[in-house]
Amino acid sequence: MDLRRLRMVKDICPLLHPHHATMTASRWIVPIAARSRPLVSYRNGHTIALFSSRLLTWHRSFTRDLLPPPPFLPPSYLYIHEWMADAYPVKHPGWRVFGFASKQGVTFISPDRDYHKDWSDHARRHLKVFKKTGATLRLGTLEELKKHSKDCYLAEDILDHTLEQTESVHEERPEDLEILVAETADTHEPLGFFIAANCTDVLQSYYIGGFYTAAGAKAQAMTGLIDWWFARSLEKRFVSVNFGDMSGPRTPGFHPATGYSNFKTHFGIHRVWRPRTLWQIRLRFRNLDAVEPFKEK
């Protein structure tokens, strides 16, 4: 596999700028995240309870600025508080930087520039192939997605995760979920599905997942759907589209993220590095100003 494309991506560090914002810390994501774990929201972010017992409590906080999350009072001997700020730098007294920075493939779009000019020759050729097939594009439903998911080329665990995320957005933000469908013009046979979540908080459309059929592979359905995704995002006056997880510029060829990361590089993306997480680890954490928001009443 040719790994040179991974090194060709323009890297961007996140700054206090709306173009580099992420859905992770937005108000938009709060009701969706709360479906799976206990959550408390506050002015500049929210905190999720990942695990809690008499021995250990682990909270993960997301903030939209550099102000730290409020202190909490967990009923355990050991307390872990992980903080993911949506800004850079993230150094703060009492917090230690730990772990690796996550990376996302983001394309910045503007009505003043034809985004196709930033696509690779490979992607533009595939788009021509798709258009020559005469395939049509339309919006689909969650029921259609589930029905045809058995015909796709996705590992079962990835497919299950994609459907779970899609259902969560559908339940909490149905007006912001789009299921894009490519199909044959004559028989209306599905060629591919593309699922996007539109977050107006950060003016960004986020790729949840997608799949294609055997016929869709020949018709380059995914490239056609991506092109429609870009166009629809521009119509909504969004400033970016987010392809999600991305591998680094020096990723080895056998890494599981290499294949799909290479595919994303054909669409004019920047590799946006999120700030590294900060941690507090305390024994018998007690603070009179702290609160215990997750305690059952």
Side-chain angles (χ1 to χ4, degrees):
M1 180 179 291
D2 186 1
L3 303 182
R4 288 175 295 179
R5 294 204 60 83
L6 291 176
R7 295 190 284 273
M8 290 166 56
V9 176
K10 297 178 182 178
D11 286 352
I12 293 180
C13 289
L15 305 172
L16 285 170
H17 192 286
H19 288 195
H20 301 156
T22 177
M23 291 171 60
T24 313
S26 68
R27 295 181 181 89
W28 186 94
I29 202 68
V30 169
I32 298 172
R35 287 177 56 84
S36 57
R37 298 185 186 277
L39 179 149
V40 61
S41 180
Y42 35 89
R43 185 194 63 79
N44 65 320
H46 59 274
T47 297
I48 298 173
L50 296 180
F51 180 83
S52 183
S53 70
R54 294 186 62 183
L55 177 64
L56 170 68
T57 297
W58 184 0
H59 289 165
R60 179 178 292 156
S61 294
F62 301 87
T63 62
R64 295 181 291 276
D65 52 31
L66 291 174
L67 295 177
F72 297 128
L73 182 62
S76 60
Y77 291 96
L78 178 64
Y79 179 46
I80 299 175
H81 195 169
E82 180 185 2
W83 173 22
M84 303 180 73
D86 196 24
Y88 184 88
V90 289
K91 292 182 180 179
H92 202 280
W95 294 84
R96 301 242 177 183
V97 177
F98 182 71
F100 299 96
S102 64
K103 297 164 282 292
Q104 295 178 338
V106 178
T107 298
F108 302 110
I109 54 178
S110 168
D112 299 326
R113 178 173 176 79
D114 180 4
Y115 57 81
H116 298 105
K117 293 181 179 179
D118 298 320
W119 286 20
S120 70
D121 293 340
H122 181 78
R124 290 197 291 267
R125 283 195 301 270
H126 280 189
L127 183 58
K128 288 181 180 178
V129 170
F130 174 77
K131 290 182 176 179
K132 286 181 179 179
T133 65
T136 57
L137 298 164
R138 63 172 175 82
L139 293 177
T141 65
L142 181 57
E143 290 70 26
E144 281 184 283
L145 185 72
K146 291 179 179 179
K147 176 182 176 182
H148 294 286
S149 62
K150 64 180 183 298
D151 303 321
C152 74
Y153 291 96
L154 276 182
E156 186 175 354
D157 57 339
I158 298 177
L159 178 60
D160 290 343
H161 179 67
T162 299
L163 292 177
E164 180 182 353
Q165 282 194 307
T166 303
E167 288 177 339
S168 296
V169 177
H170 182 265
E171 289 295 324
E172 301 297 336
R173 303 280 192 185
E175 70 281 3
D176 295 327
L177 178 70
E178 289 192 335
I179 299 175
L180 311 182
V181 184
E183 63 183 13
T184 58
D186 49 358
T187 62
H188 302 292
E189 174 191 354
L191 298 172
F193 289 80
F194 189 100
I195 310 119
N198 298 321
C199 178
T200 53
D201 286 14
V202 295
L203 296 178
Q204 181 181 95
S205 186
Y206 187 89
Y207 170 62
I208 296 178
F211 59 81
Y212 54 87
T213 64
K218 295 180 180 179
Q220 303 299 337
M222 292 309 294
T223 301
L225 287 167
I226 289 172
D227 181 57
W228 196 31
W229 177 43
F230 273 56
R232 292 180 65 83
S233 298
L234 273 175
E235 290 175 0
K236 296 178 176 62
R237 298 185 179 180
F238 287 173
V239 296
S240 62
V241 293
N242 193 332
F243 284 87
D245 180 53
M246 226 1 236
S247 62
R250 304 293 173 183
T251 303
F254 57 81
H255 192 279
T258 301
Y260 65 73
S261 296
N262 261 338
F263 175 74
K264 296 173 184 179
T265 63
H266 291 281
F267 300 99
I269 68 168
H270 293 72
R271 187 188 289 106
V272 176
W273 297 68
R274 308 315 311 175
R276 295 175 66 186
T277 54
L278 288 87
W279 297 71
Q280 282 184 347
I281 301 178
R282 299 190 181 185
L283 293 173
R284 281 288 186 183
F285 179 76
R286 292 292 181 267
N287 187 326
L288 293 178
D289 297 327
V291 295
E292 192 173 346
F294 302 106
K295 185 177 181 180
E296 294 183 5
K297 298 181 180 179

